[in-house]
Amino acid sequence: MLFLHIFRLFCVFQDVLRNILDLNESVIQNEEFVCCVSGGKLFPGSVPLAHRYGGHQFGYWAGQLGDGRAHLLGEYTNRKGERWEVQLKGSGKTPYSRSGDGRAVIRSSVREFLCSEAMHFLGVPTSRALSLVVSEEPVWRDPFYNGSVIKERGAVVLRLAKSWFRISSLEILTRTGELDVLRTLLDFVIKEHFKSIATNDPDKYVVFFSRVLNETAHLIAHWMSVGFAHDFVPNTSDDEGRYSIGAQANVGLFNLQKLLEALKPLLTSDQLSQSLQILREYPQIYHQRFHELFKAKLGFLGNEEKDSYVIAFLLKTAE
């Protein structure tokens, strides 16, 4: 992790400071606070770790990835009883950094810092950002992926989420044959984050898959309704336009297919059939939610057959 003397606190979101972490604004004047949010010192009780996961890149299995530049600092329960996992991004090397330096630069850090808070206040479920710290220490990057390496300033974002688990947290375990760990992790995720699912339900993994599918469809429909594109970086490495704004819903479906593949060893043949039927319902769930959101934007009342045509015409005209 990095050190205090090269960092300067650039920005803090007061809503996160006060309403999630229960801190007074005066804390930002404290040198120890700046040291903690830059990764130079640990919060009391923190035992940092990096998250192991695998994943796909541009549609192909990329193997084990993991948190190459993120440190999970721990979990905080606030006065409202909410539990938030606190993480630093750009704070230095981890066991999964491979040949990278574990750092982040200002441009990507500002993008995440602002977008997460903008999405929150637009009503889209998202991670939250507390602080942005900038550094004078040089970080070398190739921003246009053309072989021209330049010197940039480093930055660290302290961000929070209810959980940092992802589909590929499960997928890596299936692909490496660690099925006992897969079951343990999945049971933990259900117990901690899907409390309405009974832990003794023999179909709990099917119910879990259904819940994740519905939430994924609703989430992508919501961010699409405000013109956001997740993971879209306009560079030549995405020459197929896989992550373009028009492909967002399809990438969501791809991710859900990979989730079902990860769950497959834990499912009976009947449960797998049920899950495949649930998967086939994704396009309808997505389009229904997307149209509900746009109808609300346009002030449409009721449910007219021509609503979908008007929405499609509007989007095509805007394009």
Side-chain angles (χ1 to χ4, degrees), residues 44-162:
S46 172
V47 181
L49 58 86
H51 182 184
R52 174 196 177 205
Y53 56 85
H56 287 78
Q57 294 177 329
F58 304 103
Y60 298 96
W61 175 247
Q64 181 173 292
L65 300 173
D67 284 332
R69 55 178 178 172
H71 290 91
L72 178 65
L73 300 181
E75 183 181 82
Y76 176 70
T77 302
N78 64 21
R79 60 190 173 196
K80 293 180 283 190
E82 300 170 339
R83 292 192 296 177
W84 290 85
E85 293 185 3
V86 182
Q87 188 182 80
L88 291 177
K89 186 171 183 179
S91 46
K93 287 189 175 183
T94 79
Y96 306 109
S97 295
R98 298 178 294 281
S99 60
D101 56 20
R103 301 181 185 176
V105 295
I106 289 180
R107 54 189 167 84
S108 61
S109 301
V110 167
R111 188 164 60 235
E112 174 160 0
F113 186 70
L114 294 179
C115 282
S116 62
E117 290 303 288
M119 296 290 277
H120 168 72
F121 285 102
L122 286 168
V124 182
T126 179
S127 59
R128 303 293 305 275
L130 170 70
S131 58
L132 174 65
V133 178
V134 297
S135 168
E136 297 295 338
E137 186 172 354
V139 178
W140 297 93
R141 290 291 184 268
D142 180 3
F144 298 106
Y145 301 90
N146 60 3
S148 299
V149 177
I150 62 172
K151 182 173 71 174
E152 300 189 60
R153 292 175 66 185
V156 177
V157 173
L158 189 146
R159 58 186 190 172
L160 306 96
K162 297 299 179 69

Side-chain angles (χ1 to χ4, degrees), residues 5 17 45 90 169 260 313:
H5 66 276
L17 187 74
S169 306
L260 184 52
F313 180 80

Side-chain angles (χ1 to χ4, degrees), residues 220-228 245-246 286-287 289-295 297-298 300 306-319:
I220 297 177
H222 207 151
W223 83 47
M224 286 292 291
S225 76
V226 298
F228 179 75
I245 193 165
Y286 170 81
H287 287 294
R289 183 57 180 153
F290 183 81
H291 285 176
E292 287 173 354
L293 291 163
F294 256 90
K295 283 166 63 177
K297 282 175 176 285
L298 299 172
F300 289 176
K306 60 185 178 182
D307 290 349
S308 296
Y309 168 79
V310 174
I311 293 169
F313 180 80
L314 170 66
L315 292 173
K316 186 64 179 177
T317 303
E319 183 182 345

